[in-house]
């Protein structure tokens, strides 16, 4: 199932919660993306960025076990890698210098993710992956 | 000797006396006068030699101060000890003239060796007395051949020395006065950090000392003859301040000066000192002397400090030990409406909220030992009677020996911060409340979903239990600001939820180790899984097992680690049942999620009759966990 915008893309995933990371990794995988990571901490993420030759985009949680992930965003922006935040935080909780980073509120809507990262139109969601947008998929 | 001869001798001696008197009247130098005295007396008596011996202080020796007819190394050099047997001691003791026509035949005394060396054969001594009978020394005439001194010679010498006494006395006193004046002048002129000048009764400058020039800039030539108000500022001149000062000095003897003054270059200097009235022995005013110190720098520093202390928004005060206030800034006075007198001592406590007074005094009691004071209390604002929270801090001021001389303190309005903090606490509480509400909404959605998808009670049961665990831990987290979360607290929370208590079958063993809030949620969910499993299949299922949770903190290379051992013994594990149906989630949580999210090392081993689970996690900071394979 090809996913315009995500298929074939190398996406860095930075998320400290194991189940959230695993769910999102699975969803990205099913959408045809190559998942780099996931990384659970700032150090780990920086290490992965240094070791990975190709990165097309990144989905980054803001709070990693109590530490803010701004260093990771800095490094990605310096390398020209499109990045979005995936977080339960409100815009106002984000440091002013990072308010221009697109924010995808949790639970993450993969289509919105793809749109924010690559301007793609829509991304099919694999059946059985429970990463719905909050207003859709009632039962 | 004819009568004419005698008249000639007397006339010559009268002339000698007159010449000497004349000389002495015109010269102020004692040595010159003594030399001339020797020259004239030797000439008058035809001895060619004469000398003046000065009795030295203490009376132990005589100094050959002046002489005529002697070798150059004698006058001004020779000192003769006052021995028992010398002619000099003998003359002074007798108090009247002593003559020796030929010292070779002398038996009354010995003649000093240097005189013999110089060929002295005859001599005549006469003491010189100062007014009051004080011995000054000896006048001595010597001859190198035997010389019988006639009575009229002796009478002449007596007259001569009687004239010399008062003249010597006058010069000695003049010298002493000159020396003391010189010392005084040198002293006063070397004082350049004090401006000193003298004015006459009309306050016209008569003496302008170097210190005055150094401080004010005018030279003596420029200043002398001008009014003392020369150094006053324009304002002071206008208000007649210099006149007020001299009047006060004339009335009271002296008057303090503590004012800015004007330099020649127009700059202002701040002078501290006094003006003193000068009076002659009859009490008549002869003028004024002003002595002042340039304290401009200190005055500037004082003024800056005062400006700072009175300008900052804090209420500033000074205190002795235990809150015994000695000074309050105008800010305190305007805020509390107390006068500075009312605030002194412990009067300031009146402005403190009654409920806070004990705490403040307790803080003061401990301030000495703690080396400082830092406390918060409410101070009553006079304007509206409101009590506003202030943070009060004070540091001791110590002297050179390190003893506390006083305390300097400030009270800062922290009402706004406290209100903001209170509002924040309310917001945090509200947020936690909403989170927990949200969880219950999720729970009902799950229930409703179940109603739609068909009854699967096992799912509902597990799901609700996990949400409840999540909810409980939110409660702990919401209070973590005030109540640190500890491992035993987390364990008891989970066990209580299952209705289990510590006792013979449940043992908890370890210190109340504090858990960082960012670790709490995941660790609590892990413990919940272990507890739930124990309740269903293990030591808490009522089938006779024992649960022991033992933990300790270990120092590792990367910081402190908390090692938790969860052991269930004597459990009847049913191999047929295998792992619990939901053990997939629980084990993944422990074996995957804890290592991934918390950097923990975990082992989970289920044996035939026991379960051993170890969770070893870093306490200090988010650790570098191995990246999860995707």
């Amino acid at each position: 199932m090809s996913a315009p915008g995500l298929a074939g893309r190398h996406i860095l995933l930075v998320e400290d919660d194991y189940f959230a990371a695993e769910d999102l990794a699975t969803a990205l995988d099913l959408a045809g993306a190559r998942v780099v990571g996931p990384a659970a901490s700032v150090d780990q993420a920086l290490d992965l960025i240094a070791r990975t030759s190709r990165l097309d985009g990144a989905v980054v949680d803001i709070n990693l076990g109590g530490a803010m992930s701004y260093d990771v965003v800095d490094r990605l922006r310096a390398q020209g890698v499109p990045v979005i935040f995936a977080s339960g935080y409100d815009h106002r909780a984000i440091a002013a210098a990072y308010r221009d980073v697109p924010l995808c509120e949790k639970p993450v809507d993969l289509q919105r993710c793809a749109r924010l990262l690559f301007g793609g139109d829509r991304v099919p969601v694999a059946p059985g992956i429970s990463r719905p947008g909050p207003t859709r998929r009632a039962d | 000797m004819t009568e004419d001869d005698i008249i000639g001798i007397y006339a010559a001696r009268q002339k000698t006396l007159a010449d000497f008197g004349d000389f002495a009247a015109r010269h102020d130098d004692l040595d010159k006068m003594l030399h001339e005295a020797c020259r004239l007396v030797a000439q008058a008596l035809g001895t060619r030699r004469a000398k003046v011996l000065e009795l030295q202080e203490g009376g132990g020796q005589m100094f050959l101060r002046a002489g005529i007819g002697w070798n150059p190394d004698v006058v001004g050099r020779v000192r003769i000890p006052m021995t028992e047997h010398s002619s000099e001691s003998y003359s002074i003791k007798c108090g009247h003239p002593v003559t020796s026509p030929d010292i070779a035949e002398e038996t009354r005394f010995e003649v000093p060796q240097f005189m013999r060396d110089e060929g002295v054969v005859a001599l005549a001594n006469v003491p010189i007395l100062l007014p009051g009978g004080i011995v000054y020394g000896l006048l001595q005439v010597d001859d190198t051949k035997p010389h019988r001194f006639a009575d009229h010679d002796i009478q002449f010498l007596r007259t001569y020395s009687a004239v010399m006494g008062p003249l010597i006395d006058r010069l000695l006193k003049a010298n002493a006065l000159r020396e003391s004046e010189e010392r005084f002048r040198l002293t006063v002129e070397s004082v350049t950090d004090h401006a000193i000048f003298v004015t006459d009764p009309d306050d016209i400058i008569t003496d302008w000392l170097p210190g005055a020039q150094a401080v004010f800039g005018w030279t003596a030539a420029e200043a002398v003859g001008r009014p003392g108000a020369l150094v006053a500022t324009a304002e002071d001149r206008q208000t007649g301040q210099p006149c007020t000062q001299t009047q006060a000095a004339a009335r009271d003897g002296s008057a303090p000066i503590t004012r800015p003054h004007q330099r020649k270059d127009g700059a202002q200097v701040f002078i501290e000192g006094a003006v003193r009235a000068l009076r002659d022995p009859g009490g008549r005013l002869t003028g004024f002397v002003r002595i002042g110190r340039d304290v401009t720098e200190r005055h500037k520093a004082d003024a800056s400090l005062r400006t700072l202390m009175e300008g900052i928004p804090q209420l500033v005060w000074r205190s002795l030990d235990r809150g015994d206030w000695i000074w309050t800034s105008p800010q305190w006075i305007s805020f509390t409406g107390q006068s500075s007198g009312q605030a002194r001592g412990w009067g300031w406590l009146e402005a403190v909220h009654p409920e806070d007074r004990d705490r403040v005094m307790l803080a003061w009691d401990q301030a000495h030992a703690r080396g400082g004071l830092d406390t918060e209390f409410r101070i009553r604002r006079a304007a509206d009677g409101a009590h506003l929270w202030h943070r009060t801090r004070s540091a001791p001021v110590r002297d050179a020996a390190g003893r506390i001389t006083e305390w300097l303190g400030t009270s800062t309005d922290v009402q706004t911060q406290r209100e903001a903090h209170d509002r924040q606490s309310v917001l945090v509480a509200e947020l936690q409340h909403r989170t927990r509400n949200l969880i219950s909404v999720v729970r009902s959605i799950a229930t409703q979903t179940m109603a739609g998808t068909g009854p699967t009670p096992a799912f509902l049961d597990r799901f609700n239990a996990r949400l409840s665990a999540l909810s409980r831990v939110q409660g702990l987290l919401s209070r973590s600001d005030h109540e640190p979360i500890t491992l035993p607290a987390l364990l008891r929370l989970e066990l209580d939820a299952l209705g289990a208590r510590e006792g013979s079958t449940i043992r908890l063993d370890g210190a109340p180790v504090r858990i960082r809030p960012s670790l709490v949620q995941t660790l609590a969910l892990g413990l919940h899984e272990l507890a739930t499993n124990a309740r269903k299949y293990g030591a808490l299922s009522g089938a006779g097992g024992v649960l022991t949770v033992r933990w300790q903190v270990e120092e590792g290379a990367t910081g402190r680690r908390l090692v938790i051992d969860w052991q269930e013994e004597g459990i009847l594990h049913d191999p047929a049942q295998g792992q619990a149906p939901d053990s997939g989630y629980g084990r993944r949580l422990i074996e995957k999620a804890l290592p991934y999210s918390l950097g923990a090392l975990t082992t989970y081993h289920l044996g035939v009759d026991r379960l051993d689970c170890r969770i070893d996690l870093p306490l200090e900071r988010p650790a570098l966990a191995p990246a999860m394979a995707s």
Side-chain angles (χ1 to χ4, degrees):
Chain A
M1 206 180 284
S2 74
L6 281 176
R9 304 275 197 184
H10 291 224
I11 306 292
L12 173 67
L13 180 55
V14 184
E15 164 64 61
D16 68 334
D17 182 79
Y18 175 82
F19 293 104
E22 200 185 54
D23 285 354
L24 192 52
T26 308
L28 284 166
D29 197 37
L30 287 168
R34 288 275 305 275
V35 174
V36 179
S41 70
V42 171
D43 289 344
Q44 243 180 53
L46 293 175
D47 185 48
L48 270 178
I49 294 167
R51 286 195 286 113
T52 307
S53 53
R54 180 180 165 189
L55 280 181
D56 300 317
V59 179
V60 179
D61 186 11
I62 294 173
N63 187 327
L64 300 175
M68 301 306 261
S69 61
Y70 298 138
D71 285 354
V72 177
V73 177
D74 286 344
R75 182 72 60 82
L76 290 166
R77 289 207 289 200
Q79 297 188 3
V81 178
V83 55
I84 60 169
F85 280 136
S87 176
Y89 278 129
D90 188 77
H91 259 111
R92 285 163 296 189
I94 300 172
Y98 300 90
R99 295 228 176 110
D100 60 331
V101 175
L103 176 68
C104 216
E105 285 172 13
K106 284 179 176 177
V108 173
D109 174 347
L110 211 55
Q111 285 187 331
R112 181 170 150 73
C113 246
R115 249 194 334 272
L116 292 172
L117 274 175
F118 308 114
D121 209 6
R122 60 184 303 278
V123 179
V125 176
I129 303 304
S130 56
R131 291 284 101 186
T135 52
R136 290 181 286 128
R137 259 195 72 143
D139 297 284
Chain B
M1 199 176 278
T2 65
E3 197 172 321
D4 279 354
D5 287 344
I6 292 171
I7 289 170
I9 288 170
Y10 273 87
R13 290 184 178 172
Q14 278 302 124
K15 184 172 183 305
T16 300
L17 285 168
D19 285 352
F20 176 62
D22 207 25
F23 185 90
R26 282 183 286 110
H27 290 82
D28 280 346
D29 186 324
L30 181 61
D31 288 299
K32 275 187 185 157
M33 186 194 89
L34 293 177
H35 178 84
E36 183 66 7
C38 292
R39 193 185 67 80
L40 289 170
V41 79
Q43 192 180 52
L45 291 177
T47 58
R48 295 207 308 279
R49 287 194 190 177
K51 61 181 179 289
V52 172
L53 293 161
E54 188 180 82
L55 186 65
Q56 297 288 275
E57 215 158 318
Q61 61 181 9
M62 302 194 87
F63 171 55
L64 204 164
R65 181 152 186 176
I68 191 93
W70 298 91
N71 276 335
D73 57 347
V74 171
V75 177
R77 287 169 197 270
V78 168
R79 285 167 203 276
I80 305 164
M82 287 284 283
T83 58
E84 285 294 317
H85 306 293
S86 74
S87 54
E88 292 72 26
S89 307
Y90 184 82
S91 308
I92 285 187
K93 271 180 204 145
C94 302
H96 58 76
V98 172
T99 62
S100 184
D102 187 345
I103 58 174
E105 291 169 15
E106 188 55 68
T107 54
R108 296 168 296 174
F109 42 76
E110 290 164 5
V111 173
Q113 188 58 43
F114 85 93
M115 285 169 65
R116 295 177 187 276
D117 293 349
E118 292 276 319
V120 170
V121 173
L123 58 83
N125 282 338
V126 56
I128 306 168
L129 300 181
L130 301 178
I134 301 152
V135 177
Y136 169 73
L138 284 177
L139 176 65
Q140 194 165 37
V141 290
D142 309 278
D143 210 338
T144 49
K145 53 185 189 301
H147 187 131
R148 185 158 295 282
F149 293 96
D151 185 54
H152 59 84
D153 292 335
I154 304 302
Q155 296 317 316
F156 170 67
L157 281 174
R158 284 184 60 201
T159 311
Y160 201 75
S161 80
V163 170
M164 282 175 75
L167 291 172
I168 291 170
D169 185 56
R170 180 181 77 83
L171 288 188
L172 285 175
K173 281 187 175 150
N175 280 352
L177 185 63
R178 205 159 45 236
E179 276 168 21
S180 117
E181 276 180 347
E182 180 68 2
R183 270 201 305 277
F184 178 72
R185 188 184 62 79
L186 287 173
T187 307
V188 168
E189 286 185 354
S190 68
V191 176
T192 51
D193 57 341
H194 280 73
I196 305 176
F197 64 94
V198 183
T199 58
D200 68 10
D202 298 324
D203 205 25
I204 300 299
I205 297 169
T206 56
D207 296 273
W208 185 261
L209 288 138
Q213 180 174 343
V215 171
F216 292 119
W218 285 280
T219 64
E222 292 167 334
V224 170
R226 298 175 69 176
L230 174 68
V231 296
T233 61
E235 298 82 37
D236 279 0
R237 273 200 295 272
Q238 239 165 21
T239 57
Q241 178 67 28
C243 193
T244 311
Q245 278 175 2
T246 49
Q247 280 171 356
R251 186 183 60 238
D252 305 326
S254 77
I257 301 174
T258 318
R259 311 193 63 73
H261 285 62
Q262 179 114 14
R263 279 177 55 88
K264 182 187 177 186
D265 61 14
Q268 284 205 349
V269 281
F270 200 92
I271 300 294
E272 264 182 23
V275 53
R276 190 170 284 278
L278 299 173
R279 293 184 184 278
D280 65 14
R284 197 169 51 87
L285 185 71
T286 58
F288 301 95
V289 59
R290 286 180 179 80
I291 302 177
R293 233 162 94 80
D294 178 0
V295 294
T296 309
E297 288 309 313
R298 201 198 72 208
H299 186 74
K300 270 186 198 159
D302 284 358
S304 315
L305 197 62
R306 201 164 41 242
T307 307
L308 178 70
M309 282 167 78
E310 292 177 0
I312 57 176
Q314 279 83 359
L315 317 177
V316 189
W317 39 265
R318 291 163 56 204
S319 173
L320 302 178
D321 277 347
R322 305 202 179 273
D324 181 5
W325 283 19
I326 50 175
W327 181 83
T328 47
S329 71
Q331 297 96 304
W332 174 274
I333 292 163
S334 69
F335 186 88
T336 63
Q338 284 188 321
S339 69
S340 56
Q342 284 170 329
R344 277 175 76 97
W346 285 269
W348 55 275
L349 271 172
E350 290 293 320
V352 175
H353 194 288
E355 289 172 13
D356 299 341
R357 287 175 193 165
D358 288 348
R359 198 174 61 253
V360 179
M361 289 316 294
L362 185 66
W364 268 112
D365 286 345
Q366 297 166 341
H368 215 288
R370 293 184 179 176
L373 180 87
D374 190 347
T375 183
E376 288 190 9
F377 53 83
R378 286 162 287 180
I379 303 174
R380 188 178 183 278
R381 179 164 61 191
D384 58 0
H387 283 92
L388 302 190
W389 280 99
H390 280 71
R391 179 161 185 190
T392 290
R393 277 183 278 201
S394 183
V397 179
R398 295 174 190 274
D399 64 13
R403 284 182 299 262
I404 294 175
T405 54
E406 64 175 66
W407 295 75
L408 195 55
T410 57
S411 297
T412 310
D413 182 352
V414 292
Q415 184 70 24
T416 318
Q417 283 103 301
R418 279 188 81 109
E419 281 169 3
H421 187 262
D422 289 350
R423 268 200 304 278
Q424 198 178 20
S425 301
V426 169
L427 280 177
V428 168
E430 175 64 15
L431 191 64
Q432 300 290 350
H433 179 67
R434 284 187 196 173
T435 307
R436 302 187 73 174
N437 275 352
L438 190 63
I439 289 170
S440 51
V441 171
V442 170
R443 190 151 131 177
S444 64
I445 288 172
T447 311
Q448 294 303 313
T449 308
M450 286 297 299
T453 59
T456 49
F459 165 81
L460 197 60
D461 198 27
R462 306 275 151 77
F463 185 71
N464 282 350
R466 283 167 183 153
L467 275 181
S468 299
L470 202 55
S471 184
R472 282 192 294 276
V473 88
Q474 300 312 311
L476 274 190
L477 282 169
S478 69
R479 297 193 302 273
S480 64
D481 270 2
H482 323 288
E483 250 174 71
I485 301 171
T486 64
L487 181 59
L490 276 182
L491 285 165
R492 291 197 181 102
L493 190 71
E494 282 311 312
L495 293 171
D496 281 354
L498 298 174
R501 298 207 181 281
E502 281 178 77
S504 56
T505 57
I506 302 179
R507 289 199 290 264
L508 303 184
D509 180 12
V513 179
R514 192 170 167 175
I515 311 288
R516 198 152 46 82
S518 57
L519 300 179
V520 165
Q521 185 163 305
T522 311
L523 180 61
L525 286 176
L527 296 174
H528 169 75
E529 291 304 317
L530 288 169
T532 308
N533 263 7
R535 180 86 174 103
K536 285 185 176 155
Y537 314 108
L540 306 182
S541 63
V546 173
L547 166 65
T548 306
V549 187
R550 200 175 275 124
W551 63 92
Q552 58 188 4
V553 176
E554 293 179 359
E555 295 291 334
T558 52
R560 297 191 311 141
R561 303 183 70 89
L562 174 60
V563 181
I564 307 164
D565 281 306
W566 179 290
Q567 294 174 333
E568 293 174 44
E569 292 166 299
I571 56 175
L572 294 170
H573 181 59
D574 183 358
Q577 197 179 8
Q579 291 182 340
D582 61 342
S583 65
Y585 173 78
R587 286 193 68 157
R588 275 193 345 172
L589 189 72
I590 290 161
E591 294 180 317
K592 302 275 191 186
L594 290 179
Y596 179 80
S597 298
L598 308 183
L601 302 169
T602 58
T603 55
Y604 186 91
H605 180 74
L606 185 62
V608 179
D609 61 351
R610 59 184 292 129
L611 168 71
D612 289 282
C613 175
R614 168 172 279 207
I615 301 171
D616 173 353
L617 79 161
L619 280 174
E620 312 289 0
R621 60 185 178 84
L624 198 90
M628 185 171 74
S630 64

